Structure formats: C-alpha cells, structure tokens
Amino acid sequence: MKSVTDAAEVLIVRPRRAGARARLRELRERRSLIGFFGREMVEKRYARTLLGWIWIPLRPILDIASRLFIFGGVLGLGSEGVPYLLYIIVVLGGWQLFGSTAYWATRSLEINRSVLKRAYVPRLAVVCASIIPSGLDYLIYLGLGVLAVAGYLIADSTTYLVLGPDTLLALGGLLLLLTTAVGIGLFTSVYATHYRDVRFSLNYVLGFWQYATPVVYPLSQVPDGLRTAVLLNPLTAPIEMVKRGVFGVGELESLAFVSTGIFLLVTVIGGTLFFLKSESMAVDNL
C-alpha cells in the first residue's frame, strides 16, 4: 500500500534561468500557447460587434474592393499585363501579412495583460501568436485569389499565373515579410504596454509605408527620381519576390535585397535581444 507521502505529487518551483537560450527553450516547450494567444487575438477582432465573425472575411473583401476602385479604376494604374483584380489580391495579401502581423505583435502584450499579470508564460510566445490572425487573413486572400483565377480561366482561358521554380521566390518573400513584422513587434510591443501612442503611430506608419512600397503599383511605374528611395525600402524586395513568384513580373534589384537583409538583421537579432532584456520590466509593471 502506498503511503500518503508516496501518492502526493511534488511540485518543484525553480527560478527562471537567464539568457536567450533559456527563453527560446521555454518557447519550444510551451509552443502550444501560441495557438491559445492567437485565438484570443482573433476573437478580439470581432468582439462587441453586431456582425461578429463575419468581419473576418469582410475586411479583406472591403480592402480589395476599395483599392480596385481607386487605383485600378479611377487612377488606372498598370499591373504589368496582369488583371488588376488578381494583381491586387496577391500583392495586397502579401502586404497585409506583414502589416497585420506587425500590428498584432505590437499589441500582443497589451491585450493579454490580464493573463500575464496572473501567471508567468513565455512572453515570446505571446508576440509570436501575432502570426495567427494575420495568417488567417492571408488564407482569406488566398481563397479569394483562387476564386479570381478560376474566373479568369473560364473567361479568358488563362490563369495569368507563371508557376515553376520561381514560385519559391513568392514563398521566400512571404517568409521575409512575416519575419520582419515579428522583428518589429519585438521592439514595439514593449513600449505599447504603457503608451497607446505606439499603437496610434504604427497605424500611420504602416499606411504611409504601404504606399511607399510597390504594392498598388508596379515598380516600373516609379519615377526615376524616386526609384532609389523605393529600392531602399526594406519591404520592396519581398513584395517583388511575391510578384515574380506568382506572375513572373517582379523586378529583383540587388540594392533592394541589401536593404532588406540589413533591416532584417537589425529587427530580428536586435529586436530579440532588446525584447529579452526589456520584457520583464514591461510586463511586471503592467
């Protein structure tokens, strides 16, 4: 017969180990928390609304419709021989993967403060959870793109897609956009826990950044006097990779890739080191 002492569970509480390796080990061991916090962010998007979850597919549809009307209809911007509807779905989907991830990564600690104040969880998991709502948005863009391709195949007997080995460039571009957004969130999430100015400013920065990136227009239509500035934009190369991988029309310039590489190193490595150093101070003072 087992004694009461033998049957009782022993809970051993140890202090957190210091260092980046320990934080990454925590993230790996508790990676299931990414899904939990990701669902919280998704639900936050339609909380206290009349339409509820309908807002999730409705927002991408409204984004596409407004840009199609203004840039494809009123302004008549070119799209390198690709129907503007299909062009804007694919390219805007890539941009929104970046923008939405950066936004939710910035707000990740703030909107989960009630959980973070009650129990310790790896804070990196909270930031990484931002890929869930943005990934859901991208799947909707992808579904709309499939419908558009099917429509053009019926109407024009062509899909306008150029699929082959270069298609891997599109996947690489999307990965760069996603990684860069998380890197930015590692910086901004720390300050956003205490200052709403960060969230407000980010909306304006992302709005300007989108139009400074060849998203709604092709790089070939950028005036010569502004071309260098656009190439120095660290998001130009990933967006052009998406275009080349899907439509075969993106311009892959070495200057753009150098800018992207430098910015990625600063945001990911610098952001990780900054976050690991500052996240305790930010969260513990919530």
Side-chain angles (χ1 to χ4, degrees):
M1 178 181 295
K2 292 184 178 180
S3 65
V4 175
T5 304
D6 293 334
E9 294 184 359
V10 178
L11 177 63
I12 301 176
V13 180
R14 295 188 178 92
R16 294 173 62 198
R17 294 183 179 181
R21 183 175 298 180
R23 300 288 81 74
L24 294 175
R25 185 183 301 113
E26 285 180 349
L27 178 62
R28 185 182 68 251
E29 292 174 350
R30 304 187 186 180
R31 57 187 178 273
S32 60
L33 290 173
I34 295 176
F36 169 78
F37 287 109
R39 288 191 298 272
E40 291 290 312
M41 294 180 191
V42 171
E43 293 173 359
K44 184 78 173 179
R45 303 183 66 180
Y46 59 84
R48 301 194 306 274
T49 63
L50 290 175
L51 296 181
W53 63 267
I54 295 176
W55 276 110
I56 294 179
L58 186 59
R59 284 177 173 173
I61 293 172
L62 293 177
D63 282 342
I64 292 169
S66 62
R67 286 163 176 78
L68 180 65
F69 174 75
I70 296 173
F71 299 105
V74 176
L75 298 179
L77 295 181
S79 51
E80 303 289 358
V82 180
Y84 198 78
L85 172 61
L86 187 57
Y87 175 90
I88 201 65
I89 290 175
V90 171
V91 184
L92 185 61
W95 170 265
Q96 292 294 355
L97 183 65
F98 165 79
S100 180
T101 301
Y103 176 81
W104 287 107
T106 296
R107 295 200 61 195
S108 58
L109 299 181
E110 172 220 340
I111 64 178
N112 289 291
R113 64 174 62 200
S114 60
V115 176
L116 298 177
K117 290 176 67 174
R118 292 198 301 264
Y120 173 76
V121 297
R123 285 74 182 259
L124 276 175
V126 182
V127 177
C128 290
S130 60
I131 66 178
I132 303 295
S134 61
L136 179 60
D137 278 347
Y138 186 75
L139 289 177
I140 295 172
Y141 278 95
L142 187 62
L144 294 173
V146 170
L147 292 176
V149 166
Y152 285 115
L153 181 60
I154 295 172
D156 301 339
S157 299
T158 180
T159 63
Y160 295 99
L161 304 181
V162 180
L163 303 180
D166 281 352
T167 303
L168 294 176
L169 287 172
L171 299 177
L174 294 174
L175 182 60
L176 286 174
L177 291 168
L178 191 62
T179 306
T180 303
V182 173
I184 292 173
L186 291 173
F187 282 108
T188 55
S189 61
V190 172
Y191 294 109
T193 56
H194 299 288
Y195 307 109
R196 298 178 70 190
D197 313 59
V198 176
R199 189 211 317 173
F200 297 156
S201 300
L202 182 66
N203 286 327
Y204 291 105
V205 169
L206 290 176
F208 175 79
W209 206 346
Q210 179 181 346
Y211 294 118
T213 306
V215 175
V216 297
Y217 56 86
L219 185 57
S220 60
Q221 292 188 353
V222 176
D224 292 339
L226 296 175
R227 187 176 177 86
T228 300
V230 174
L231 290 176
L232 287 173
N233 179 349
L235 298 184
T236 294
I239 289 294
E240 292 300 297
M241 290 171 66
V242 172
K243 296 178 186 178
R244 175 65 66 87
V246 177
F247 302 123
V249 298
E251 299 183 38
L252 307 181
E253 298 279 352
S254 58
L255 179 60
F257 280 99
V258 171
S259 176
T260 299
I262 294 174
F263 190 78
L264 190 64
L265 288 175
V266 171
T267 54
V268 174
I269 297 179
T272 301
L273 295 176
F274 172 78
F275 185 84
L276 295 178
K277 181 179 179 180
S278 307
E279 47 100 4
S280 292
M281 176 187 65
V283 174
D284 294 342
N285 293 329
L286 285 174

